[in-house]
Amino acid sequence: MKEKGWIARTFLLVSIAALATALFAPFTAVNGRALAQEATPLLVSVPSIWENTLTPELLAEFEAENPGVKVHVVYNEQAFFGFGPGASDIDGRLDSTEESVSAADVVYVSSSSMTVEDTQAGYYRDLAPLVSSDAAIDPSDFYPAVWQSFQWDNGMWALPLSTDVILVTYNPAAFDAAGLAYPNERWTVDDFANAARTLTTYNPDGSVLTPGMSTLSGGNNQEYLLRALIGGGLYDASASPSAPSFANANLEYVLQTWYELRNEGVIAAQGGGLALAEDVPLTVSGVNGYVQRGFRPGEEQTTSTREASLLPGGVAGLSVQGFAVSAGTAYPELAYALARFLTSRAELASNFFSASPARISLAQDASASNNAGTNGQQGGAVIISGPGGGQGVVVGGSMGSLIPDTIRPVFEQGLYAALPASAMRYSTYLSTILSEMDSNGGDARSALQTVEAQAVSDTQTAQARKGTRSLFVAAPPVEPTLAAGKVALNCALSLGFGGGPGGRSGDMPNQDLWDQVVADFLASDPDVGLVNLESVMDSDLATLAQEYDCIILNANAVADADLSAILNLDPLIDTDMTFDRNDVIGNTMAQLQRDNKTWALPLSIQPSMLEYDVTRFAQAGVPEPLNGWTTEQFIDALKMLKPYDSDPVPFQPNDPSGSYLMMLIAAFGGLPVDYRTTPPTINFTDPATVDAIRQVLDLAKAGYIDYSPLGQTFAFQIGGGESPAITTTALSQLRRMRFQPPGASDTQTETAMVAYPQGSAYNVAAYEITTGYISASAQNPDAAYRFLSLVARNPQLFSGMPARASLVSDPDVIAAQGQDMTAAYQQLDALLRDPNTLIFPTFSLGRGGTTSLASSIWLNQAMDSYIEDEANLETALADAQMTTQAYMDCVAAINVDTTDAMQARGEQFEQMMNCMTTVDPDLTMQ
């Protein structure tokens, strides 16, 4: 389903006159702070998804309480996600923290992002003196363990805002079926090991299908469980400042056992593949995960197939969020007052990352509000459950205190029985120890000694920094002024990135390239003197067109766009001497047209491809598919890469949507869903389609394709101990998101990319288009087009393939990609120009939309039943077709009676959900 976009706005105000100032701001900020100001500036740094929550109206209340103060908001993802001590480069981590505390007076932090090394290096102000003298703050109003979570080394380093509670959760039905006792607080690592091994399910070839246990779903769940199992901290409590100490009698045995479980694949843990909590019988995760996966605003949602227990020792874990004060602030008392104010706000404490406010009074207020039927949360989400209550397609996202009844009592108990996050000091080195065991052959004792020495060295490095850095918070950016006769352009970039520290230079990974293109444009354009380029995460074209002159999206929105919000670009394209329609890759231009008019400019292409390990191919004697491959050659490669049953599965897709299956099925001659029509045409029972589906699924049954169930959830496949010989990939920002399987080496392998195998009936391809649009309300549409035209001639700005054939071998593009992709690009160009090529929608849903995605739900269930239950394929597909067709007919009859575009989308989505549950009552809403 289409994910709700969040605006993550970061201002990049660039002009020729201001460019040098913007680039060298870190070196001139001391003088910048000394400049005369009409008001005392305070900068607060928060995650970018908070833009609609931390509003000017909310901050105006603080400013009214503190006359003469002006609060500026900057966006910084590191403030939440951070870099735990388990990373190898202590200097890099500390440099990153220094950048964050130089960007804002008040910094949003979490118990994962703020480390002992950060405070010992002197980057945060100790708030203990301010708290002790502040009659306006009541420590007893905070949950005790949450209040203590940012306290160590005789200091208090942040005021808590909110928390998630980490518990053991489990599926009682799975435990009953396996004859296992339910987890409890007396469990040892041996109990967890026995349960994980017993509950794991396997593929026919013996590889793991679903692990018995998971500690994923974000946060430091693995560390909390291991810390609970060993029964003590990893620091010397008698030392101040605290020092790492791994002298715990239980530690070696617990880690040795955990290492073996990871290597067996019976647990999905940090450092491994992904598994959704509802698919795994036993999990350690935050309660927040249940709320994230979806509740509809204003409705009580208490049904759950899972129950919960405290962690070993009768404790719970905490993932705490809060506000810290930079040691570089010039206004420590005002910064503290702002942090205190922010932690008192219910709209901030009930946030995306938490399950409860840190303040008991706010938690009680939220509970009372929910009992009255209004949870006060923005947005919403829906869970569509599969048969038996299993989790299904997840849509949207919103936090609240709506926790299942079967889990709530343990959650409430855990709030008071929790270990403070401060008790977890140095615990993320546990992951480092496990990685060291991967390298040394599983020797826990040696790994403990090596990593403890590293932890001590890291602490010494941090302490040596204290007092050696001149810390200051950079002044808020000053908006440049326009020269006489010049105009400004306001352009939005929705490429999947949030803001960087300070919302200034560094917002995009390749910010220097964007800066140069903007500078080049301003130097040559006769009319434009300023480009306000804002990085946003909202992808709704109609909404963005109300505020910006030009919009750049990482997907093609033309098919579903409100055309009244954007301009027809044909008149501008026709006068552009730098643009040749025939130079555009494949049939891309046709994808950007409606009503015989062109509504978007193609900037780059993000094709879905296969990536293979060059070395593994050579070792197995498999010829590289340098010029593409047929389905027969693809099958031969799989069999040569796995000559023995015990060999790893050669093709391990990293595709949560299962679209790789649809493309392979088409290559084998089947077309269960024809996306060439609107709405898509379904035909699951055509003999050629049935045969093609069977061929592909039989490859999975034989152990050549790593298949994960698709019918109930989107799930990432669990990888083995080494990088796969073949996997799925895409030339997009998502390609940066790689997950190392347990035991995988950090050594970079040589890989190459190739298109999907091509069949005798159909060629197959899937790609997304990075697109540029001009708002219908743009004051200077010609200038906006000139800027987009220049961007289109600089494809190195994007991670994908150039949209123009003449640019595929451009040296700047090759440099940006890090490898010469010319041959692959030319292969794709020919493929996309072939009229016999079928174009499939991508996981980004830029094409196909919700209707297309939903049309595959019951097909996926049919394929799952053939793989998992040995069901008759023809019968399963016939049943799936009947249900899918009933759903499509129901959707076709939807009539939305409103002129408000946002409301119309919401009502249409609601009716589509109703269609799903009408045609399939087992697909229940939770």
Side-chain angles (χ1 to χ4, degrees):
M1 300 300 174
K2 188 171 183 179
E3 181 178 318
K4 179 180 177 182
W6 296 307
I7 298 180
R9 195 165 308 176
T10 54
F11 291 91
L12 185 74
L13 306 175
V14 182
S15 68
I16 295 177
L19 184 58
T21 302
L23 291 175
F24 295 101
F27 304 100
T28 60
V30 172
N31 291 333
R33 267 290 171 134
L35 294 175
Q37 303 271 357
E38 293 184 0
T40 300
L42 280 181
L43 284 83
V44 56
S45 173
V46 296
S48 56
I49 67 170
W50 271 23
E51 185 184 40
N52 290 340
T53 305
L54 193 59
T55 61
E57 292 76 16
L58 186 152
L59 294 173
E61 295 183 35
F62 175 80
E63 293 166 349
E65 296 171 2
N66 297 270
V69 173
K70 177 62 179 176
V71 180
H72 302 264
V73 181
V74 296
Y75 300 101
N76 181 4
E77 305 319 316
Q78 182 201 317
F80 177 74
F81 296 105
F83 299 91
S88 58
D89 180 9
I90 180 63
D91 286 310
R93 297 198 316 267
L94 293 173
D95 288 345
S96 187
T97 300
E98 185 171 324
E99 184 180 7
S100 290
V101 299
S102 299
D105 302 276
V106 178
V107 181
Y108 177 90
V109 296
S110 74
S111 50
S112 296
S113 68
M114 175 182 272
T115 68
V116 175
E117 290 91 341
D118 293 335
T119 59
Q120 291 185 358
Y123 286 131
Y124 293 102
R125 182 170 290 271
D126 179 8
L127 302 182
L130 293 166
V131 170
S132 63
S133 61
D134 183 4
I137 194 166
D138 179 9
S140 66
D141 186 36
F142 292 79
Y143 292 105
V146 178
W147 177 252
Q148 299 164 19
S149 284
F150 293 111
Q151 297 181 37
W152 57 79
D153 293 346
N154 299 314
M156 184 166 190
W157 306 105
L159 296 181
L161 169 71
S162 55
T163 189
D164 192 11
V165 178
I166 299 170
L167 303 171
V168 176
T169 66
Y170 58 94
N171 185 334
F175 275 73
D176 291 343
L180 291 171
Y182 297 158
N184 61 62
E185 60 197 53
R186 295 179 298 279
W187 266 31
T188 66
V189 70
D190 292 328
D191 294 315
F192 281 101
N194 177 57
R197 289 176 173 129
T198 303
L199 294 167
T200 295
T201 60
Y202 297 87
N203 291 307
D205 67 348
S207 61
V208 170
L209 175 63
T210 303
M213 181 176 177
S214 170
T215 61
L216 290 172
S217 300
N220 52 352
N221 306 324
Q222 174 180 261
E223 284 72 25
Y224 255 112
L225 175 61
L226 295 176
R227 164 66 173 78
L229 287 168
I230 64 179
L234 298 182
Y235 55 91
D236 182 355
S238 65
S240 184
S242 59
S245 174
F246 297 170
N248 182 295
N250 297 327
L251 186 54
E252 181 178 339
Y253 180 76
V254 168
L255 289 176
Q256 190 71 52
T257 303
W258 195 254
Y259 168 80
E260 292 169 1
L261 295 172
R262 289 170 71 243
N263 274 15
E264 292 171 26
V266 299
I267 58 172
Q270 279 91 331
L274 288 178
L276 296 183
E278 293 294 333
D279 295 331
V280 180
L282 176 62
T283 66
V284 176
S285 66
V287 173
N288 158 278
Y290 294 96
V291 185
Q292 279 194 43
R293 269 198 290 277
F295 299 99
R296 303 177 66 184
E299 295 184 8
E300 286 289 339
Q301 306 294 342
T302 56
T303 303
S304 174
T305 60
R306 305 183 74 84
E307 296 185 6
S309 165
L310 294 175
L311 299 176
V315 300
L318 293 177
S319 176
V320 185
Q321 301 82 45
F323 286 99
V325 173
S326 167
T329 182
Y331 315 106
E333 290 81 9
L334 283 173
Y336 166 78
L338 177 57
R340 183 189 64 202
F341 170 82
L342 295 173
T343 64
S344 71
R345 304 300 302 211
E347 55 266 70
L348 301 182
S350 299
N351 64 69
F352 183 81
F353 306 115
S354 72
S356 172
R359 294 176 184 248
I360 298 171
S361 58
L362 291 183
Q364 292 171 341
D365 290 344
S367 177
S369 176
N370 284 326
N371 289 335
T374 56
N375 64 17
Q377 297 301 312
Q378 296 181 355
V382 176
I383 299 180
I384 305 170
S385 293
Q391 290 297 316
V393 180
V394 182
V395 185
S398 175
M399 294 302 97
S401 58
L402 300 175
I403 296 167
D405 288 343
T406 55
I407 292 174
R408 175 171 289 282
V410 182
F411 161 71
E412 293 175 345
Q413 183 184 6
L415 281 169
Y416 288 94
L419 280 172
S422 54
M424 295 295 292
R425 276 168 283 171
Y426 305 107
S427 292
T428 46
Y429 281 102
L430 293 170
S431 294
T432 311
I433 295 168
L434 291 167
S435 296
E436 178 66 20
M437 292 174 68
D438 289 336
S439 301
N440 71 16
D443 186 341
R445 182 169 301 177
S446 173
L448 279 166
Q449 294 171 349
T450 299
V451 177
E452 182 173 8
Q454 177 191 332
V456 171
S457 175
D458 288 350
T459 302
Q460 293 171 345
T461 298
Q463 293 172 356
R465 283 202 180 197
K466 188 171 184 178
T468 65
R469 304 296 175 107
S470 178
L471 294 177
F472 56 86
V473 176
V478 179
E479 185 170 345
T481 56
L482 280 173
K486 292 287 187 176
V487 300
L489 284 181
N490 297 310
C491 294
L493 288 176
S494 179
L495 299 176
F497 297 106
R504 296 184 286 274
S505 185
D507 294 350
M508 303 289 288
N510 58 349
Q511 190 64 49
D512 56 333
L513 299 179
W514 282 100
D515 289 344
Q516 186 59 57
V517 168
V518 169
D520 292 344
F521 177 74
L522 294 173
S524 61
D525 194 88
D527 301 323
V528 181
L530 176 67
V531 174
N532 298 329
L533 196 62
E534 300 183 18
S535 176
V536 304
M537 289 191 72
D538 190 357
S539 60
D540 185 76
L541 191 56
T543 301
L544 295 173
Q546 295 176 11
E547 188 172 352
Y548 301 96
D549 301 302
C550 55
I551 304 106
I552 296 174
L553 303 181
N554 64 352
N556 174 16
V558 170
D560 300 318
D562 176 1
L563 298 182
S564 67
I566 55 177
L567 287 181
N568 167 24
L569 299 186
D570 284 323
L572 296 165
I573 290 175
D574 290 341
T575 60
D576 183 358
M577 301 302 294
T578 68
F579 189 86
D580 178 2
R581 283 181 169 85
N582 294 323
D583 187 35
V584 177
I585 296 289
N587 65 346
T588 300
M589 289 302 296
Q591 307 296 322
L592 306 179
Q593 294 174 344
R594 271 176 59 189
D595 303 332
N596 295 317
K597 297 176 182 177
T598 305
W599 301 97
L601 197 66
L603 305 178
S604 76
I605 291 174
Q606 304 162 38
S608 298
M609 303 183 73
L610 298 181
E611 186 171 23
Y612 62 92
D613 186 322
V614 173
T615 301
R616 296 274 297 280
F617 267 53
Q619 291 172 343
V622 179
E624 285 193 59
L626 300 177
N627 298 310
W629 45 9
T630 64
T631 52
E632 290 80 7
Q633 291 169 330
F634 176 71
I635 293 173
D636 288 344
L638 294 178
K639 293 181 177 179
M640 292 174 70
L641 289 163
K642 184 182 169 69
Y644 303 105
D645 290 343
S646 58
D647 289 336
V649 179
F651 181 26
Q652 298 180 23
N654 183 19
D655 178 2
S657 71
S659 61
Y660 76 96
L661 280 173
M662 302 298 287
M663 295 176 68
L664 286 178
I665 289 166
F668 279 83
L671 200 57
V673 183
D674 189 346
Y675 294 102
R676 295 173 295 186
T677 63
T678 303
T681 301
I682 63 167
N683 189 355
F684 302 167
T685 57
D686 177 79
T689 294
V690 174
D691 181 64
I693 293 174
R694 180 178 281 107
Q695 287 186 69
V696 173
L697 296 185
D698 284 349
L699 288 172
K701 280 189 172 185
Y704 296 114
I705 298 176
D706 187 14
Y707 182 93
S708 285
L710 298 165
Q712 293 186 10
T713 63
F714 295 145
F716 285 87
Q717 279 72 16
I718 305 297
E722 59 182 311
S723 298
I726 307 172
T727 188
T728 55
T729 189
L731 285 175
S732 69
Q733 311 300 349
L734 291 175
R735 190 165 181 249
R736 295 188 173 93
M737 298 173 60
R738 295 301 180 87
F739 302 93
Q740 285 287 86
S745 169
D746 291 332
T747 304
Q748 295 294 316
T749 57
E750 182 185 357
T751 62
M753 282 184 278
V754 63
Y756 276 74
Q758 306 305 312
S760 57
Y762 305 112
N763 295 328
V764 296
Y767 67 96
E768 196 49 271
I769 309 170
T770 302
T771 46
Y773 306 83
I774 298 178
S775 169
S777 59
Q779 296 298 305
N780 300 282
D782 289 347
Y785 177 83
R786 290 196 299 272
F787 178 67
L788 288 179
S789 179
L790 180 62
V791 170
R793 298 195 300 276
N794 285 271
Q796 72 275 11
L797 294 170
F798 308 101
S799 61
M801 167 184 175
R804 305 187 189 186
S806 60
L807 295 174
V808 296
S809 58
D810 186 282
D812 290 336
V813 174
I814 294 173
Q817 290 288 355
Q819 61 185 125
D820 189 348
M821 297 284 295
T822 302
Y825 289 162
Q826 291 172 342
Q827 180 188 131
L828 278 166
D829 184 20
L831 181 64
L832 296 178
R833 292 182 188 274
D834 189 333
N836 196 42
T837 298
L838 297 177
I839 306 299
F840 285 79
T842 63
F843 185 47
S844 70
L845 304 183
R847 299 176 63 252
T850 306
T851 303
S852 298
L853 178 61
S855 67
S856 64
I857 292 174
W858 296 278
L859 172 62
N860 289 340
Q861 290 181 353
M863 292 191 291
D864 288 350
S865 66
Y866 178 71
I867 291 286
E868 296 185 297
D869 304 326
E870 298 294 333
N872 180 277
L873 184 60
E874 286 82 355
T875 301
L877 290 173
D879 291 343
Q881 169 140 343
M882 182 172 62
T883 305
T884 304
Q885 189 60 61
Y887 166 75
M888 301 289 282
D889 293 342
C890 181
V891 169
I894 290 176
N895 182 27
V896 177
D897 185 19
T898 178
T899 57
D900 182 275
M902 186 68 70
Q903 184 180 358
R905 282 192 294 273
E907 290 185 11
Q908 182 184 40
F909 177 77
E910 181 75 16
Q911 292 186 45
M912 291 173 66
M913 298 301 100
N914 291 336
C915 285
M916 287 185 180
T917 55
T918 297
V919 303
D920 187 356
D922 288 331
L923 205 65
T924 57
M925 294 288 191
Q926 287 189 354

